[in-house]
Amino acid sequence: MTGSCVILSFGSNFGDRKKNVADALKWFGTMASDCRFSSIYETPEVHGNGAAYMNAVALGTTSLDLGSLNKLAKTYELNNARDDFHRSRGEVPIDIDVVMWDNETLRPMDFSCDFFQIGYREITDNVFA
């Protein structure tokens, strides 16, 4: 498949966190080909005052444009209880962010954080080793 190379970050701090991330990774597998997935791992909340997150990073090639993939990711979040009620309580059933698109870093703050770097190193070390 030709298309764009995309790297996404997945996180959950509410409910069955590991299952939430695993299900979102499966969803991404339907949006892209040549997918590589990190393990699912736990990190503390970035500001240190909320529930710990389960995280993962995925890399793939998609024929979708960036806007369409982003819209589908946000729809997935909404369909999985990422709503105002949970947001007001600091609960994140699932968060999906496009961090890199065709080697351009779209979310530099996320890129620099451990919650992304752990999985990113895992999948890119395997690809570029």
Side-chain angles (χ1 to χ4, degrees):
M1 171 192 261
T2 60
S4 296
C5 178
V6 60
I7 302 177
L8 288 82
S9 175
F10 299 81
S12 174
N13 77 349
F14 178 74
D16 189 339
R17 301 170 304 147
K18 189 171 186 176
K19 181 181 183 318
N20 295 345
V21 172
D23 289 348
L25 291 172
K26 288 178 196 165
W27 166 82
F28 176 65
T30 69
M31 299 291 120
S33 64
D34 305 320
C35 293
R36 298 185 69 83
F37 304 100
S38 73
S39 59
I40 298 172
Y41 50 92
E42 187 174 67
T43 62
E45 194 271 337
V46 173
H47 303 291
N49 57 8
Y53 278 76
M54 296 304 286
N55 300 278
V57 174
L59 174 154
T61 302
T62 183
S63 60
L64 295 168
D65 62 74
L66 176 58
S68 296
L69 180 61
N70 235 350
K71 184 175 182 178
L72 288 167
K74 297 311 165 191
T75 299
Y76 181 92
E77 290 177 356
L78 284 170
N79 290 339
N80 288 277
R82 183 87 195 265
D83 54 31
D84 290 339
F85 172 77
H86 288 95
R87 193 172 283 113
S88 71
R89 299 165 54 107
E91 299 168 346
V92 180
I94 191 64
D95 181 39
I96 305 169
D97 292 310
V98 178
V99 178
M100 299 181 73
W101 184 267
D102 282 339
N103 295 317
E104 179 183 349
T105 302
L106 304 179
R107 298 178 65 95
M109 292 293 289
D110 288 359
F111 182 86
S112 67
C113 290
D114 281 345
F115 71 79
F116 180 78
Q117 280 296 312
I118 291 167
Y120 178 72
R121 285 191 302 265
E122 189 179 322
I123 61 173
T124 58
D125 285 351
N126 291 333
V127 171
F128 302 117

